[in-house]
């Protein structure tokens, strides 16, 4: 690799680190295929410019996490951190799909909904035991 190529790669890594403020784990459980749309909230003033780009893309139409990462040219993990920030600010929402809103026979909560509830419970009670031992 040339010196210029290595410097460009290191610069991109440093920029990604700065954009996420050093965070490597999102607060919300997000799959690559998680679909997002713009919500009613607004990002905070300290949010990275990438957050505005994410919102602009999601205002056009619903987008998946992996599509946002590709459009921004950022690692998926970094995009998940930014999306988590936007979800916390209600600037983005995970819309209910027809199948998860359907109340017909055999339907139940979506995997995304269960994962979000599980993540919220773990955040609220991190030391709780998932399955109590029978005594």
């Amino acid at each position: 690799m040339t010196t210029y190529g290595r410097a460009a790669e290191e610069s991109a890594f440093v920029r990604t680190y700065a954009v996420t403020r050093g965070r490597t784990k999102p607060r919300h459980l997000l799959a690559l295929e998680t679909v997002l749309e713009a919500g009613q909230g607004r990002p905070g003033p300290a949010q990275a410019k990438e957050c505005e780009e994410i919102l602009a893309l999601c205002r056009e139409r619903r987008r998946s996490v992996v599509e946002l990462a590709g459009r921004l040219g950022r690692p998926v993990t970094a995009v998940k951190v930014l999306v988590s920030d936007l979800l916390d600010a209600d600037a983005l929402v995970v819309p209910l799909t027809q199948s998860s809103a359907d109340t017909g026979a055999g339907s139940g909560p979506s995997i995304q909904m269960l994962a979000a509830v599980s993540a919220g419970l773990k955040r609220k009670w991190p030391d709780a035991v998932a399955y109590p031992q029978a005594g």
Side-chain angles (χ1 to χ4, degrees), residues 65-123:
V65 170
V66 73
E67 182 181 0
L68 291 170
R71 294 279 190 149
L72 295 175
R74 294 274 173 222
V76 172
T77 304
V79 171
K80 285 181 176 183
V81 169
L82 297 176
V83 165
S84 282
D85 291 345
L86 293 169
L87 286 169
D88 288 343
D90 293 325
L92 284 180
V93 296
V94 177
L96 292 177
T97 61
Q98 182 63 31
S99 63
S100 65
D102 182 14
T103 58
S107 70
S110 71
I111 292 174
Q112 285 180 327
M113 177 65 77
L114 293 173
V117 168
S118 175
L121 291 171
K122 286 177 185 174
R123 206 170 34 253

Side-chain angles (χ1 to χ4, degrees), residues 3-79:
T3 303
Y4 173 75
R6 182 178 289 302
E9 185 177 302
E10 288 174 3
S11 173
F13 175 78
V14 170
R15 171 73 180 132
T16 299
Y17 183 85
V19 164
T20 62
R21 291 178 263 153
R23 295 170 295 155
T24 58
K25 299 220 187 275
R27 284 181 300 283
H28 297 277
L29 184 61
L30 299 164
L32 294 176
E33 66 277 1
T34 299
V35 175
L36 303 153
E37 68 181 26
Q40 299 298 318
R42 297 198 184 288
Q47 298 273 307
K49 74 172 177 91
E50 283 82 356
C51 288
E52 286 298 332
E53 294 174 28
I54 290 170
L55 284 174
L57 289 167
C58 289
R59 283 184 191 115
E60 289 175 3
R61 66 178 179 82
R62 293 177 175 178
R63 308 273 180 168
S64 68
V65 170
V66 73
E67 182 181 0
L68 291 170
R71 294 279 190 149
L72 295 175
R74 294 274 173 222
V76 172
T77 304
V79 171

